[in-house]
Amino acid sequence: MEAVPDSDVSKDIALTRPVEGSASMEVMTGKEVRECHGASSDNPSLSGPPKGSLVVKVPAAMVAGNSPTSREMLNEQAQMLIDEVNAKRKRDTSVLGDFKKAMEIQTTNAYNMVEQNVFRLYEQNGKQLQDKLQELFATLDRIAKLELELDQFKVALGALYTEMH
């Protein structure tokens, strides 16, 4: 089997997040990433890119070459990826905002329906309560009249009793 020259092999390039307020990004090869995280041949488990990094596969020839076009291409590709992520996040934020508005509208509608039903029940119960109260007051008036008649009867009976004795 023939060995493949190092310049023909694709390598991972880890692009760290841009520094806030800066348009540039730091470009590191897979080896630099491993060194940065303390990876060695003794501990290969730390060979991944830093958390939150974008990983792009590019030909090793582009990494090895220090030509401005290689760096410019990487910067442009990285910027395109960043712009794409930012656009997706903006869309997600917009979708979440729309969802929030829709939920607020539905919640308001549900609240209004419940409120209307409660007031409708108040009206129905109020009518029933009013009828019962009128009946109660009519009964209390009859009781008052009967008590008055009873008092008059007692007085008349007492007068009759005193006349008889």
Side-chain angles (χ1 to χ4, degrees):
M1 180 179 281
E2 190 174 316
V4 179
D6 210 20
S7 61
D8 293 340
V9 178
S10 292
K11 295 186 178 180
D12 289 342
I13 303 296
L15 302 172
T16 62
R17 292 184 182 171
V19 178
E20 197 166 318
S22 170
S24 64
M25 297 183 69
E26 182 182 351
V27 179
M28 297 186 298
T29 64
K31 180 180 176 186
E32 290 170 326
V33 170
R34 286 187 291 278
E35 288 171 359
C36 176
H37 288 285
S40 63
S41 58
D42 299 334
N43 189 4
S45 64
L46 297 174
S47 62
K51 195 170 192 170
S53 299
L54 298 172
V55 178
V56 180
K57 285 235 186 225
V58 295
M62 286 181 65
V63 175
N66 288 330
S67 68
T69 52
S70 296
R71 276 182 272 143
E72 287 174 5
M73 283 179 51
L74 284 174
N75 281 338
E76 286 177 19
Q77 288 177 350
Q79 190 59 48
M80 286 174 29
L81 284 172
I82 291 168
D83 292 343
E84 185 178 316
V85 167
N86 287 338
K88 286 179 181 180
R89 287 181 179 175
K90 190 174 183 178
R91 280 192 308 265
D92 290 347
T93 302
S94 175
V95 167
L96 285 174
D98 292 345
F99 179 73
K100 181 180 178 182
K101 287 177 187 176
M103 292 305 295
E104 287 172 347
I105 290 169
Q106 286 182 354
T107 302
T108 301
N109 290 342
Y111 170 79
N112 289 336
M113 287 175 51
V114 169
E115 185 179 44
Q116 287 174 0
N117 287 333
V118 166
F119 287 136
R120 195 173 306 124
L121 285 174
Y122 285 169
E123 287 179 27
Q124 290 174 353
N125 290 341
K127 289 177 184 177
Q128 291 174 353
L129 185 60
Q130 186 67 30
D131 293 342
K132 296 291 182 182
L133 285 173
Q134 284 178 353
E135 187 179 321
L136 175 66
F137 288 134
T139 304
L140 289 174
D141 284 342
R142 279 193 315 234
I143 290 173
K145 288 178 185 176
L146 289 173
E147 284 177 340
L148 185 61
E149 285 180 24
L150 184 60
D151 285 341
Q152 290 172 354
F153 177 75
K154 283 183 190 177
V155 170
L157 185 61
L160 180 65
Y161 182 74
T162 51
E163 280 182 25
M164 288 174 68
H165 280 22

